Structures are given as structure tokens and as C-alpha cells.
Amino acid sequence: MLAIVLANAGAIATPAIAHAQGTAGVTLSGRVQDAPSGAPIAYLTVELRRQKDTSFVAGRLTDSTGAFVFTNLTGGEYLLRLRRIGYAPLSRAVFVGQLSRFLDVGVLRLEPAAPALDKVTVTATREEVANAMDRKNYTLADNIAQSGGSVLQAMASLPGVTVTQDGKLQLRGSDKVAVLIDGKQSALTGVASQAGLENLPASAIARIEIITNPGAKFDANASAGIINLVLKQETQDGFNGSVGFTGGAGSLWSRRDNLPDVRAQRLFTPKLNPSVASNYRRGGTNSFVRADWLYSPTMNKNEFATRTYSDGRIITQQLLRNRRTDYATLNGGVDHTFDARNTLSFSGLLNREKILDDGDNPYFAGAQNTRYRLWQFLEDEVKYTAFASTVYTHRFLQPGHSSPSLATTRFTAKTSATSLPIRCRPSPARTPSSCSPTNILAT
């Protein structure tokens, strides 16, 4: 009782006693318990702050008995804060005097609190590279760096895949590679034929599967391996869709100036790729349609050559080819799942590819003040491709075994107009007959 009286009677204490005990810090202690059960709460965070401005002073964790201790405290007004998940927060004001070196706040009881959450959303992202037993999967759906170009450009950045200077696709150094679309051969691709991949937008591809050791069910001509392009499809119930747009500026300057009287090089080469997709799923039936358009003007070729002959003549040549490519793709289909082991799928793909080339091919004397000829050309090519397939798949009870039945139909139409018009412009000192290619350098 004497200690309690001294602690609360600071007004009647002598100044000598207050000064002697105030030089040593005050120790503040207490215990934390669960209010309903009275059990100690271990490893709970206890904060000590100043009551005036709530500035942080110190923090402690309760031990296994729920006790905590703060040492070397100066006199003043403090605030104890106790927080823990599952309990309501508790704040307690504490006054630390100068007459006692020990202050016990007693037992602090926390009331349980169980806040109710509206909902919990768990999201997961598939890795961009995944290894399976017989293949490697590369995801393009969330890869911004690869989604803006063509499929051929995206494949060129994959390990083991290379693209030659003439646009031929190679896998592990061999061009004996088959390219499939959704596991089926298409009129766009095949063994040693990947011309359609240059203009097929990568935004339409969900992932690329590389099969380096194909099984017996695949084409035997693909000795180097198989690359399977999996198109995007929506899996949500009801009606849903998406609209996308990808663009780029392309080249903005020229590496070398043209020869005299040659039309301007195409410097600004924007690449535009809008796309739209819609999907409707109800029960076991899913229908989808997707459309892509790729607009890509480029400077396809700009070559310079200088020939020196034994008689001292020097001929300078330039071949400039500006190209504009329009590539439209429409893909749709219907899938119906009868049960967990039987699925019927019908899909179709229609695309239109138009390539327009215009360029100049001049020949000059060494000083470039005498032109032998200027050949200006225009090449226009349009290609239509249609592909349809029906697949019935039955999965056996043994995992990994299935029996697909495939029926496909392909149609390809191509129209072109080559080198129209051809304009041959010789110098005034020469006759038109000397403008033929065989007579340009012979005269």
C-alpha cells in the first residue's frame, strides 16, 4: 500500500526524493489475455506512442505468457496500442510518473472480432515458357514485345528457331519443319512452306508449341520437328468479346541517298494491326469468330551495285522496291462437348493477302551524269486462302490416349499482275532498241 500511495502522491513528495528516482528510467509492464477465455495471447505487437502527437516511442512482442515490458521510459503521458488479426484493436492511455521506477498496467483483455469479407478473388498467370513431356509451350497472349509483329517475327525469337534471309523457317538448323494451326495442317503452312506466316499477326496467337520429337501420328516429312500455333479462344460463359489495336512507326530515315531521277524511298513505314474477337458459350456448345487486319508498308529492297569493266567503264545500279502489304484473316468455328470424353469441333479460316510492289531500277555511268536507262515497275498480287476442318475426338479411359477423326478442306486462289507497266527510259543519245537488258552494258 505504501508503494501505491507514493506513486500517486507526487504533490507531497520532497524534491530530493523525486530527483533521485527520476534520473533512472521507468519500467512499464503488463499482460495481454483473450477476453472470453482468459488465455494469454503470445507474440502480439504492442506499440508505445506519445499521447500528445502519437509519435512512435517503442514496440514489443508479448512472450509465451502474454507479458510485455518497456524499459528506460521518461515521465509523461503515453498511449498503448494493441493490434492482432482476429481481435478488435485496443488503445489504453498510461501516465508514467517520477516517484516509482516500476509501473504495471495489469491485464489488458482483447475482444475477438471476425470481419466478414465480401469475396475473395484468386488470380493466376501461366508462365510464358512451360515444358511438357514432348513439347515446349511459349505463351504470346500477354507478351507485349512479341504481340505487335507477325507470327514469323515472334517465332524467330524462340530458342532453336531461326529464319533465313529468304524467309525460310528452320528448327535446329533444318528446314524440314511442319507448321500446324490448332494441331491441323493448313493451306497457309506446311513442310518447307511458311510464306503466309510473314503477314499473319501474332496478336491472333495464344501460344506456340514446339515439338522436337514428334510421334507417329504426325507427318513423317517433318523430321526436324513440328511447330503448332494455337489460336486465341474465349472460355467464359455467355457472350463476350475483345477489341485490340497494335501499331508502330517503322523506319524513319534512309541509310543511303537515291541515285538521280529515282522516286523517293519509303521512310515512314507504319505497321497497323486492329483485331476484334467475339465468343458465345452456353452449356457444352461454344462458338467463336475472330478477325485481324495487318497493314504494313515497307521498303522491301534497296540495293546498290557498281560494276567496273576491263575497258574502264563504270556502271552504277540501284534497285529500289517499295512494298505495301494488306493481310486480312477471318477465323471462326463451333465446338460441342457431348460429355467428358467426346468432342466435336468445326472450324474455318479465310484470309486475303495483297502485295503491291513499285520500284525503280536505274543504270548510270560512273560519274552519274549519264543515265543508260530507268526501269520502273509495278507488281500487284492477291492471294485468297480458305481452310475448313471437322474434328471428332474420343478420349479413352486411360489418360493420355485419344482417337481424333479429322476431315479437312482447302482452297487457294491467286491472281497477280507482274511488271505492269514497264517503262524504259534511255538517254536521248541512244535509240530505244539499246534499252533492252542485253544491250545496256554491251554498247
Side-chain angles (χ1 to χ4, degrees):
M1 294 296 294
L2 180 60
I4 297 176
V5 172
L6 291 176
N8 296 311
I12 62 176
T14 62
I17 297 176
H19 176 75
Q21 294 186 355
T23 55
V26 179
T27 299
L28 176 66
S29 61
R31 290 174 295 167
V32 183
Q33 293 181 355
D34 180 76
S37 63
I41 303 177
Y43 311 112
L44 177 138
T45 301
V46 181
E47 294 181 358
L48 183 65
R49 296 178 178 269
R50 297 192 183 277
Q51 190 174 16
K52 181 179 180 180
D53 54 3
T54 67
S55 60
F56 181 80
V57 177
R60 296 289 187 271
L61 289 177
T62 59
D63 57 15
S64 58
T65 63
F68 63 91
V69 177
F70 292 95
T71 59
N72 297 326
L73 299 179
T74 59
E77 296 181 351
Y78 294 89
L79 191 64
L80 279 173
R81 287 184 176 180
L82 293 79
R83 290 184 179 183
R84 188 168 187 174
I85 297 177
Y87 291 91
L90 177 65
S91 297
R92 179 69 59 86
V94 178
F95 176 77
V96 177
Q98 300 291 335
L99 299 181
S100 176
R101 294 179 54 191
F102 301 95
L103 178 61
D104 186 3
V105 297
V107 178
L108 304 177
R109 293 178 173 84
L110 295 182
E111 296 290 341
L117 301 178
D118 293 337
K119 61 180 180 179
V120 177
T121 303
V122 179
T123 59
T125 303
R126 179 179 295 178
E127 296 182 357
E128 293 185 1
V129 181
N131 294 325
M133 182 177 298
D134 60 341
R135 67 193 65 192
K136 287 186 178 181
N137 299 323
Y138 299 90
T139 303
L140 300 184
D142 300 324
N143 193 326
I144 301 177
Q146 293 180 333
S147 62
S150 65
V151 174
L152 195 62
Q153 294 173 346
M155 294 169 64
S157 63
L158 301 181
V161 180
T162 56
V163 180
T164 60
Q165 294 183 354
D166 56 354
K168 184 174 294 185
L169 191 66
Q170 292 183 348
L171 182 61
R172 299 186 299 177
S174 175
D175 60 353
K176 301 299 183 181
V177 54
V179 181
L180 309 180
I181 297 180
D182 285 336
K184 303 177 287 292
Q185 285 195 355
S186 169
L188 295 176
T189 61
V191 177
S193 175
Q194 298 88 27
L197 298 178
E198 175 63 29
N199 298 313
L200 183 64
S203 59
I205 306 299
R207 68 179 186 274
I208 298 177
E209 299 177 347
I210 297 181
I211 308 173
T212 55
N213 295 309
K217 64 179 180 180
F218 295 105
D219 190 352
N221 293 325
S223 57
I226 292 176
I227 299 178
N228 183 32
L229 307 178
V230 181
L231 301 178
K232 290 182 179 179
Q233 291 187 15
E234 297 291 341
T235 59
Q236 300 179 359
D237 290 337
F239 179 81
N240 55 85
S242 63
V243 177
F245 179 82
T246 305
S251 301
L252 300 178
W253 60 86
S254 60
R255 296 183 179 180
R256 181 174 175 179
D257 294 335
N258 287 337
L259 297 179
D261 300 330
V262 176
R263 288 178 291 182
Q265 302 177 17
R266 181 168 289 164
L267 300 182
F268 182 62
T269 57
K271 181 175 289 185
L272 307 177
N273 178 210
S275 62
V276 60
S278 63
N279 186 88
Y280 181 75
R281 178 183 294 270
R282 184 175 183 180
T285 303
N286 175 63
S287 57
F288 62 93
V289 62
R290 180 180 179 87
D292 290 89
W293 180 62
L294 178 64
Y295 173 77
S296 178
T298 59
M299 186 175 63
N300 179 257
K301 183 178 294 186
N302 190 21
E303 299 177 350
F304 294 83
T306 302
R307 298 179 176 90
T308 303
Y309 295 88
S310 59
D311 58 358
R313 289 183 304 162
I314 299 177
I315 302 299
T316 303
Q317 175 192 2
Q318 179 184 1
L319 177 57
L320 173 64
R321 181 192 297 267
N322 292 321
R323 170 171 292 184
R324 193 192 74 182
T325 303
D326 297 288
Y327 198 91
T329 304
L330 180 64
N331 178 43
V334 178
D335 302 329
H336 182 73
T337 302
F338 299 96
D339 49 44
R341 296 167 53 192
N342 296 278
T343 304
L344 179 63
S345 302
F346 172 78
S347 61
L349 187 146
L350 174 66
N351 70 76
R352 175 184 180 270
E353 178 183 3
K354 180 178 180 179
I355 299 177
L356 181 64
D357 290 343
D358 63 273
D360 294 355
N361 187 11
Y363 290 82
F364 281 87
Q368 298 184 11
N369 53 8
T370 302
R371 188 185 69 205
Y372 286 101
R373 76 164 185 176
L374 173 61
W375 177 38
Q376 294 181 325
F377 60 91
L378 175 66
E379 297 178 356
D380 188 3
E381 178 179 321
V382 181
K383 180 180 178 182
Y384 294 90
T385 302
F387 175 79
S389 64
T390 303
V391 181
Y392 174 77
T393 304
H394 174 75
R395 295 177 176 84
F396 296 95
L397 294 177
Q398 185 177 0
H401 289 261
S402 62
S403 177
S405 300
L406 174 65
T408 61
T409 301
R410 307 172 187 174
F411 172 77
T412 301
K414 179 178 179 180
T415 60
S416 62
T418 305
S419 300
L420 294 177
I422 298 177
R423 290 180 289 176
C424 186
R425 298 179 179 176
S427 61
R430 295 184 176 270
T431 60
S433 60
S434 64
C435 201
S436 62
T438 58
N439 295 331
I440 289 299
L441 305 179
T443 58

